[in-house]
Amino acid sequence: MKKSIDPRIQFMLLIVQSVLVLCAGMGQLILLNVFALFYLLYAGLYQTACKMGAVIAATVALYSYMLLSDQQWVKFLGFLCFLVLRFGPVIIMARVLQEVPTGRLMAAMQSLRLPKNFILTLAVTLRFFPIIKMENDTIQMSARLRGLSYSQPRNWLRPLQVFEYTFVPLMMRTMKIADELTASAMTKGIDCPDQRTSIYQTRLTSKDLILVAFFIGYMVCIFTFNFLEV
């Protein structure tokens, strides 16, 4: 069951996490990813947590093997591990924020007195990528039925044809979606300069405060005691 976390708390945790990953070592990055996975579990996104947990575990195992190996080609994989562990916590926490309804998200961000242009950009961005993923899945299903999907090994020798039948429709659909989102926002009066009202009530609960306290304590511990320093 998905738990309701105040969007303001989610947004602030995302910002703090984004800053911390920039100044963290590899050992601290691993622990930041662990917290992000528990954050997914707390939010009730169990399937996503399992998938991301498998990716993080494989990356950590590959990084550990890289440290013990003397083979040169393995060293080049270190950069890939670095990228996954560096951006993993931010992507995972943004995934939780994507589950917030757009109206509730905008009402919460509006209560923080953030600029309207920033709120609109954030709301559209968080909704844009899931829609693109669904559109891509539909296009790939159609291409697979026609034998033109890039997931089929026989098409790897025909990259231009695969690009034409899979990625070009996705780009065309992306432009159409952008127009549809713009029209939808204009219809809902998004360009009105007055303060918007909302049916969503934004208030902090004791669970939100406990989550923040746990996050602060966890971050203080891993950056003070330098666990798993490598």
Side-chain angles (χ1 to χ4, degrees):
M1 180 179 180
K2 296 181 180 179
K3 294 182 176 62
S4 178
I5 306 173
D6 191 282
R8 294 169 294 181
I9 297 299
Q10 296 188 43
F11 177 72
M12 288 187 285
L13 291 182
L14 176 61
I15 295 298
V16 175
Q17 188 86 308
S18 302
V19 174
L20 291 178
V21 296
L22 297 178
C23 55
M26 290 300 293
Q28 295 164 337
L29 285 177
I30 294 174
L31 294 176
L32 289 176
N33 280 278
V34 170
F35 173 83
L37 293 175
F38 278 109
Y39 183 70
L40 277 177
L41 294 173
Y42 179 80
L45 301 176
Y46 304 114
Q47 185 176 3
T48 305
C50 292
K51 293 180 180 179
M52 295 302 299
V55 172
I56 298 301
T59 304
V60 173
L62 181 60
Y63 180 74
S64 302
Y65 175 74
M66 184 197 69
L67 293 177
L68 300 176
S69 177
D70 294 330
Q71 299 179 6
Q72 188 62 31
W73 68 272
V74 177
K75 301 296 182 181
F76 289 106
L77 299 177
F79 182 69
L80 177 62
C81 298
F82 173 82
L83 290 179
V84 174
L85 295 178
R86 184 73 67 178
F87 292 102
V90 179
I91 295 175
I92 291 173
M93 300 191 77
R95 174 66 181 84
V96 179
L97 193 58
Q98 284 182 341
E99 295 295 316
V100 180
T102 304
R104 186 184 178 203
L105 176 64
M106 295 187 65
M109 296 298 102
Q110 188 174 258
S111 66
L112 295 177
R113 307 297 180 183
L114 295 175
K116 187 175 182 179
N117 291 337
F118 175 80
I119 296 175
L120 292 176
T121 302
L122 178 65
V124 171
T125 301
L126 291 176
R127 286 293 167 267
F128 186 76
F129 289 104
I131 294 176
I132 289 300
K133 182 180 182 301
M134 290 189 295
E135 292 292 337
N136 181 64
D137 292 341
T138 302
I139 293 173
Q140 290 303 318
M141 183 182 301
S142 176
R144 194 177 299 112
L145 292 175
R146 298 178 182 181
L148 298 171
S149 175
Y150 61 77
S151 62
Q152 297 169 317
R154 65 180 181 180
N155 292 321
W156 294 350
L157 298 178
R158 299 178 293 179
L160 294 180
Q161 185 177 5
V162 173
F163 179 83
E164 179 182 357
Y165 287 100
T166 57
F167 290 101
V168 172
L170 179 61
M171 289 187 291
M172 299 298 295
R173 184 57 184 159
T174 299
M175 291 187 290
K176 187 174 181 179
I177 290 174
D179 292 337
E180 292 174 351
L181 289 176
T182 302
S184 175
M186 296 295 291
T187 303
K188 296 177 181 179
I190 204 67
D191 57 340
C192 179
D194 298 329
Q195 185 81 357
R196 290 175 56 85
T197 59
S198 176
I199 62 173
Y200 294 98
Q201 299 295 326
T202 56
R203 62 185 184 88
L204 296 176
T205 64
S206 58
K207 294 181 179 180
D208 296 324
L209 298 178
I210 292 174
L211 177 62
V212 172
F214 177 77
F215 176 78
I216 294 175
Y218 188 86
M219 296 303 137
V220 169
C221 288
I222 66 176
F223 281 92
T224 300
F225 299 104
N226 293 326
F227 295 122
L228 299 178
E229 187 61 34
V230 290

